[in-house]
Each structure stands twice: as structure tokens, then as C-alpha cells.
Amino acid sequence: MWLLGRLVRKSGNRPHDVYSCYRLTILMALWLGIVPYYVTVSAGGRGKLASSYIGYVNILMRMAVYMGNSFYGAINRSSLMSNFFLTDISNVIDGLQKINGMLGISAILLISLLNRRDLLQLLAIFDGLETEAFPRVGVAMHQVAANRKMNRLVGILVGSMAAYITCSFLMIGLRDAATFSISSVISYFSPHFIVCAVSFLAGNIMIKLRIYLGALNEVLKNLAHQWDTRTLKAVAQKQRSLQCLDSFSMYTIVTKDPAEIIQESMEIHHLICEAAATANKYFTYQLLTIISIAFLIIVFDAYYVLETLLGKSKRESKFKTVEFVTFFSCQMILYLIAIISIVEGSNRAIKKSEKTGGIVHSLLNKTKSAEVKEKLQQFSMQLMHLKINFTAAGLFNIDRTLYFTISGALTTYLIILLQFTSNSPNNGYGNGSSCCETFSNMTNHTL
């Protein structure tokens, strides 16, 4: 976290707009190869995203290296897993992970490159909300608090990934009997970088969406509070500070008619929904790929750990049981953190948006003005037709229901794998499973 903070402070002053708030996030995403942009400052002091030729080259080079390395590893049959498992099942699993990683990483990099303009459009909507829409209803955004939350998420994900990879290298490298090649290391650890980058980029987009939805809800609550205390007057007065929250300040605007404030709130809500739809369009296939990679790795890591702890097979490994379990448990936790960061960010934004409807209907019950009531009814209809949700290519929703889905599928596959190991004639290793050998050969030929 200290190093990340130093990078941000060296690249500019404290964040003062949307783009400078995302400076570290975009910089790390550029380094990890999923974004071909960087944040720069115009002559007028406004931040903006600028194209980076290095970013384009980085993405294309990563795609070429990952694809070429996957084919090279398949031809030479080099694998990091050979230091841990020497069974037919482990060969099949390792082949599946290679295919999943190769296709997944290539898909994410290609989609990020093709949909790069959606990210520009998304941050442009954010900038319009903060510089034009929210000030009309008396809301001023604070960038420091939002920037702190974003940097914290980047620090957690990047830090946990770096710690896991460093400890893995030390554990494997210090073993004299352990063998590994650069090709096997790239094949095994490359998905970690991409999963980490997409996770913190998506999570930080959700942070801003939550802040905007929270500010909109506070504007409507403020209007209800004025009606409750009968202090709403249609006379020209100065704006006075009402409250200063963590991520924004809000002022009571008494020079505007309530119907006008509600109209402005409707426009803000429409822009937030447009931003959410743009974010979903940009991330939908990336999240599907990320969750698929993470689920596959979690299933197989859990299988390795349970099989070892339950003594289902005679493991031929160059590592002690504690080291073996720790290695795969930490990798499983790393991917669980990535899934949780994505799901929780999405779920909190959805829950914030659902609160808006209750506040609008509370206002509808309190108002006596026919004009205000008509505006609130229009707002209610808009809330029915414009809902915020995030999906993985439309196949499933990205919310807390995903935890239940993953848990059920994980349990099912673990039972199948453990039963398969128990029923194997040689208890999971050797030449006892011809189907595993056939599938392993098919996997290697495919790669």
C-alpha cells in the first residue's frame, strides 16, 4: 500500500476529478495488460484518458506470449504440477487448466482491446455526473475518500497475488528436487495477473456507482426531510450546507421548485443506469471468463487438498503434506478473494439502487402538489423500467446468489472427483485409469 501511494503522489497531486481518482487503477491495469490507456492532465487542469502505444503493444505481446507458451508447453509437456502430483487425474486436471487459462486469457485480452471505447464512454459519463448533473441538485463529490477505497482494493488484490507468487517461487525454488521451466511458470501463474487486474478494475467501477446512487438517495431523503419539517419554501435564499459525508457534500437548495429537483434526480438516475449498462457491456464477457477460471481452479485445488487430508490416495510429491496443502489452499483463497470482490461490489450497487424506489414512494405519499405527484409517478415508472443489474454474458447474475450457485456446483464436482479417485483400481495413480490416459492424450493433442 505504501508503494502504491507513493506512485500516485509522484504522478500528481491529490485527486480532484474522476480521471485523477482512477489514476492508480488505470496505471496498474495498463501494466497488467488489460487497458491501453493512461491518465493525463490537460492544459486546463482537467484529467482525461489518453491512448498509450505501449499499452497496445503490451496487450498484443501478452496475447502472443501466452498463446505461444501454451503450445510450447503442450509440445514439451512441461508442467509445474509435476512437482506436486504424478497421477493420471492430475494430468487431466493440469491439461484442463492449461486449456482454460489459454482460452480465458486470450479472450479477456481480446475483449478488453475490442471494447476499449466502452471504458472511455463510462468514465465520460462519470465525469458528466460529477461536473454537471450532481451540482444542479447541490451535491459536490469528494475524490479523496473514493480514491482511498479504490487504492485499498488494488492493494489487497495485487498484494495478495504478489505474496502468493513470491512464496510459491521460494517454496519451489528452494527444493533441490523440484524442477520447473519458464514455460511452465508462465502457464501456471499468468491467469493470476489477469484475474487480479479485471477484479480490481471492475470493483473500483462499482465503488463509484455506489457513491452516485448513495448521493441520489440522500438528495431525495433531503427533500423528504424538508417536507417533514415544513421548511421547504419557494423563496430565493442562499444555499446552506446541510451535511458533509465521506464521499460527497450536499447543500440544501431552496431556490428550486420540488418538481424541478425531482426532474433533475430523474436525469441523474438515468445517467447512472446508463453508466451501469455501459459497465456491464464492458465487463460481461470478462467476468464470465474470470468466474469460469476461478471456479475451475477452486474445484481442483479443493480436490487436491481434500484428497490429501482424507488420505484418499498415496501422493507422490516432492513436498511435505503441510507445504502441499498450504500451496493449494492459498491459491484457492486468492481466487475466492477475487470472486468476493466482484460479487460484493456488484451486489452493494444493486442494493443501493433498490433503495431509491422506497424513497420515491415515500415522497409520493407525502406530497400534496399535483405537479410534484406527477413527477414522482414518472420517476416511479422510470425505476420500474431502468434497473441496475450485472450479468456474466446474460448467463447468470453477479450478486450474492452466485455464492449459493458456486457452493452447490463445487460440492457436486468434489463428490464426483473423490468418488472417481476411490473407485480407481490403483487409487488414483499409475496405469489404472485408461479413460484418464485417453483424455490426457486428447488434451495434449488439443493444446
Side-chain angles (χ1 to χ4, degrees):
M1 287 297 293
W2 175 83
L3 177 60
L4 298 180
R6 292 284 297 175
L7 285 173
V8 175
R9 284 192 289 272
K10 286 185 70 174
S11 57
N13 296 324
R14 296 174 66 182
H16 57 277
D17 58 13
V18 168
Y19 295 100
S20 58
C21 189
Y22 278 99
R23 187 190 301 274
L24 176 63
T25 302
I26 299 298
L27 177 64
M28 293 300 297
L30 174 67
W31 284 355
L32 294 175
I34 64 168
V35 169
Y37 300 114
Y38 67 97
V39 176
T40 185
V41 180
S42 64
R46 297 287 302 165
K48 64 177 183 178
L49 284 186
S51 296
S52 169
Y53 293 109
I54 296 177
Y56 286 107
V57 172
N58 187 22
I59 293 176
L60 295 175
M61 284 186 63
R62 283 177 180 270
M63 290 178 63
V65 169
Y66 292 153
M67 292 288 290
N69 179 77
S70 298
F71 287 109
Y72 176 81
I75 294 172
N76 290 271
R77 297 192 176 184
S78 59
S79 174
L80 199 67
M81 291 296 297
S82 61
N83 293 294
F84 297 95
F85 259 130
L86 294 172
T87 67
D88 293 326
I89 295 178
S90 68
N91 291 334
V92 173
I93 291 175
D94 186 48
L96 286 173
Q97 286 183 313
K98 284 181 179 179
I99 294 174
N100 189 47
M102 178 187 70
L103 296 179
I105 291 174
S106 301
I108 290 172
L109 294 176
L110 182 60
I111 291 169
S112 299
L113 188 61
L114 295 177
N115 294 345
R116 63 191 183 278
R117 289 187 178 84
D118 290 333
L119 184 62
L120 292 174
Q121 181 183 352
L122 177 60
L123 292 187
I125 296 173
F126 283 178
D127 189 56
L129 280 166
E130 296 196 7
T131 58
E132 299 176 12
F134 274 114
R136 291 199 294 263
V137 292
V139 175
M141 292 295 170
H142 298 165
Q143 302 298 336
V144 174
N147 181 253
R148 190 182 304 118
K149 294 176 182 177
M150 294 178 185
N151 292 350
R152 186 185 304 125
L153 180 60
V154 173
I156 290 172
L157 291 174
V158 174
S160 58
M161 178 196 68
Y164 169 74
I165 294 177
T166 302
C167 293
S168 298
F169 271 117
L170 290 175
M171 186 180 75
I172 297 173
L174 293 176
R175 288 281 179 180
D176 294 333
T179 58
F180 62 91
S181 62
I182 296 177
S183 173
S184 62
V185 169
I186 293 175
S187 296
Y188 193 83
F189 290 111
S190 55
H192 296 47
F193 295 98
I194 304 300
V195 169
C196 175
V198 174
S199 297
F200 69 66
L201 182 58
N204 286 344
I205 292 296
M206 299 303 169
I207 287 175
K208 272 293 186 182
L209 286 174
R210 293 202 305 270
I211 291 173
Y212 297 151
L213 289 165
L216 175 62
N217 291 341
E218 288 299 326
V219 169
L220 297 173
K221 287 179 183 178
N222 179 31
L223 193 58
H225 175 72
Q226 293 178 58
W227 286 353
D228 288 338
T229 55
R230 301 180 183 277
T231 59
L232 184 63
K233 299 178 182 179
V235 295
Q237 297 181 14
K238 261 190 167 183
Q239 296 183 0
R240 62 180 178 84
S241 177
L242 176 68
Q243 54 184 321
C244 183
L245 301 177
D246 185 35
S247 300
F248 58 90
S249 298
M250 191 167 64
Y251 299 87
T252 304
I253 299 182
V254 296
T255 58
K256 284 190 175 183
D257 184 75
E260 189 177 351
I261 295 177
I262 294 169
Q263 179 63 39
E264 298 282 3
S265 300
M266 290 172 61
E267 294 176 7
I268 290 173
H269 180 264
H270 185 273
L271 286 173
I272 294 174
C273 290
E274 184 181 349
T278 304
N280 187 57
K281 180 183 176 183
Y282 179 74
F283 287 109
T284 184
Y285 292 105
Q286 298 181 44
L287 293 183
L288 175 63
T289 309
I290 290 296
I291 293 172
S292 300
I293 293 174
F295 175 73
L296 189 66
I297 290 177
I298 289 171
V299 168
F300 293 146
D301 286 351
Y303 164 69
Y304 292 148
V305 172
L306 285 176
E307 187 188 34
T308 301
L309 294 178
L310 296 175
K312 289 288 185 180
S313 66
K314 296 179 181 179
R315 181 174 55 87
E316 298 179 9
S317 176
K318 301 171 184 177
F319 299 92
K320 297 178 181 178
T321 300
V322 174
E323 296 173 332
F324 181 90
V325 170
T326 301
F327 178 84
F328 288 103
S329 296
C330 290
Q331 181 176 239
M332 183 168 54
I333 292 171
L334 182 68
Y335 280 89
L336 283 173
I337 292 173
I339 290 181
I340 290 171
S341 67
I342 292 170
V343 172
E344 286 301 312
S346 172
N347 188 77
R348 290 178 184 178
I350 293 170
K351 293 300 180 184
K352 283 276 188 182
S353 67
E354 291 174 351
K355 292 180 180 179
T356 308
I359 300 171
V360 168
H361 283 87
S362 175
L363 290 171
L364 191 58
N365 293 331
K366 293 176 181 179
T367 184
K368 301 292 190 294
S369 170
E371 182 185 4
V372 174
K373 183 170 290 190
E374 182 183 358
K375 287 293 183 183
L376 288 170
Q377 288 173 344
Q378 292 177 5
F379 202 169
S380 178
M381 290 293 292
Q382 178 173 307
L383 290 169
M384 289 177 60
H385 294 288
L386 288 178
K387 293 185 178 180
I388 292 178
N389 70 321
F390 303 96
T391 67
L395 297 177
F396 51 84
N397 293 326
I398 309 295
D399 54 27
R400 286 183 177 173
T401 59
L402 187 60
Y403 293 146
F404 181 78
T405 304
I406 290 177
S407 300
L410 175 62
T411 304
T412 302
Y413 285 115
L414 282 178
I415 292 173
I416 293 172
L417 285 171
L418 290 173
Q419 286 181 338
F420 184 81
T421 303
S422 300
N423 295 331
S424 178
N426 288 303
N427 214 19
Y429 65 95
N431 298 320
S433 179
S434 59
C435 64
C436 285
E437 292 179 356
T438 303
F439 192 80
S440 179
N441 292 332
M442 181 182 67
T443 303
N444 291 326
H445 285 305
T446 302
L447 287 172

